[in-house]
């Protein structure tokens, strides 16, 4: 069992890295010549910019130098801010939010299902936040019948529908608060935990977490930047 979990954790980080690389490709393809000229100037002293023929060369050097990775895009965000590409900064912020939510849900569901996550690296402090959210749910568990909701979830498509239904209920309120959003994250984690515990579940825990993070990302983006719950 532990070997299987370790494999899944490794896959989580591999997929996170692929998502990061996709975002870097998006960024690179949207930089014009003037952007590159300013970016080279900004990065003088950090990397050998004269050897860079295009934006992807710059990204590779920054990545190899350890200045950017899927875990940390702060350096490249600051660079984009310096050349006034707020549109790219916004995309990088969305990446951070989705990444954080995916990791948070992954840790949360492992905690709920009693899986040993001690061998998992505590990326970005998500393990501590997941534990806090679980304590919140423990106090409300008797009044929330999550299992009935979870019984309808057999795939990421079903999960998306369930979350949309919950969101519609929240939309009846004048505005979504951080408390509402926190409960939405908790419910998503509980639903995923129950669905992924089913031996007949065909889709991976990570896929369900990613689907939920996609749905929650825009909500969190509307509320503001990532905060420690």
């Amino acid at each position: 069992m532990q070997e299987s979990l370790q494999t899944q954790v490794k896959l989580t980080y591999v997929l996170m890295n692929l998502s990061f690389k996709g975002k870097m490709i998006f960024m690179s393809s949207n930089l014009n010549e003037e952007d590159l000229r300013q970016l080279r100037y900004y990065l003088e002293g950090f990397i050998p910019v004269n050897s860079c023929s295009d934006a992807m060369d710059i990204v590779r050097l920054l990545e190899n130098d350890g200045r950017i990775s899927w875990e940390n895009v702060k350096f490249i965000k600051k660079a984009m801010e310096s050349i006034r590409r707020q549109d790219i900064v916004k995309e990088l912020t969305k990446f951070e939010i989705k990444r954080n939510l995916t990791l948070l849900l992954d840790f949360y569901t492992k905690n709920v299902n009693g899986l040993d996550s001690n061998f998992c690296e505590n990326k970005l402090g998500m393990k501590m936040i997941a534990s806090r959210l679980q304590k919140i749910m423990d106090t409300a568990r008797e009044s929330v019948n999550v299992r009935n909701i979870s019984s309808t979830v057999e795939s990421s498509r079903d999960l998306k529908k369930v979350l949309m239904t919950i969101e519609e209920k929240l939309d009846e309120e004048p505005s979504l608060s951080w408390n509402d959003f926190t409960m939405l994250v908790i419910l998503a984690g509980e639903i995923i935990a129950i669905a992924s515990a089913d031996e007949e579940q065909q889709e991976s825990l990570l896929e369900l977490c990613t689907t939920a993070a996609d749905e929650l990302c825009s909500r969190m983006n509307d509320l503001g930047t990532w905060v420690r719950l």
Side-chain angles (χ1 to χ4, degrees), residues 82-104:
S82 73
I83 65 173
R84 297 179 177 83
R85 287 302 303 268
Q86 292 301 323
D87 56 327
I88 294 178
V89 172
K90 185 176 180 180
E91 288 299 316
L92 291 172
T93 299
K94 288 180 181 178
F95 167 80
E96 289 179 306
I97 292 174
K98 182 179 176 181
R99 173 202 64 195
N100 290 349
L101 286 170
T102 301
L103 288 175
L104 176 58

Side-chain angles (χ1 to χ4, degrees), residues 55-206:
M56 283 307 304
D57 284 345
I58 292 175
V59 168
R60 288 191 187 94
L61 285 177
L62 289 174
E63 193 172 0
N64 291 337
D65 198 44
R67 295 188 181 277
I68 61 172
S69 68
W70 71 264
E71 297 174 65
N72 189 353
V73 295
K74 291 179 181 178
F75 185 87
I76 197 66
K77 279 180 68 176
K78 189 173 181 180
M80 292 300 103
E81 287 174 351
S82 73
I83 65 173
R84 297 179 177 83
R85 287 302 303 268
Q86 292 301 323
D87 56 327
I88 294 178
V89 172
K90 185 176 180 180
E91 288 299 316
L92 291 172
T93 299
K94 288 180 181 178
F95 167 80
E96 289 179 306
I97 292 174
K98 182 179 176 181
R99 173 202 64 195
N100 290 349
L101 286 170
T102 301
L103 288 175
L104 176 58
L105 289 168
D106 188 56
F107 271 115
Y108 186 93
T109 52
K110 283 183 172 65
N111 285 347
V112 172
N113 286 335
L115 300 177
D116 181 13
S117 59
N118 289 330
F119 57 83
C120 303
E121 293 183 63
N122 190 18
K123 300 293 185 182
L124 305 170
M126 292 300 120
K127 194 171 184 178
M128 178 183 67
I129 300 174
S131 296
R132 289 181 178 177
L133 292 183
Q134 191 174 359
K135 288 180 181 178
I136 293 174
M137 184 60 192
D138 287 342
T139 63
R141 197 172 296 280
E142 291 184 2
S143 60
V144 181
N145 194 339
V146 181
R147 188 165 292 278
N148 283 347
I149 301 174
S150 303
S151 64
T152 64
V153 177
E154 295 181 357
S155 68
S156 58
R157 182 181 299 176
D158 294 333
L159 175 61
K160 187 173 182 178
K161 289 180 180 178
V162 169
L163 290 176
M164 288 177 67
T165 300
I166 297 174
E167 287 177 353
E168 287 173 2
K169 294 292 184 181
L170 292 175
D171 280 338
E172 295 174 2
E173 301 296 324
S175 61
L176 183 71
S177 68
W178 275 110
N179 286 340
D180 293 332
F181 180 80
T182 300
M183 186 52 64
L184 188 58
V185 172
I186 292 172
L187 289 174
E190 290 286 325
I191 293 168
I192 294 169
I194 295 173
S196 62
D198 187 348
E199 293 182 357
E200 296 181 358
Q201 174 67 37
Q202 297 298 309
E203 297 186 74
S204 69
L205 169 64
L206 178 60

Side-chain angles (χ1 to χ4, degrees), residues 36-60:
L36 286 175
R37 187 183 71 81
Q38 294 180 23
L39 187 59
R40 287 191 180 96
Y41 176 75
Y42 179 85
L43 294 173
E44 284 180 357
F46 291 105
I47 57 173
V49 290
N50 292 333
S51 65
C52 300
S53 61
D54 56 24
M56 283 307 304
D57 284 345
I58 292 175
V59 168
R60 288 191 187 94

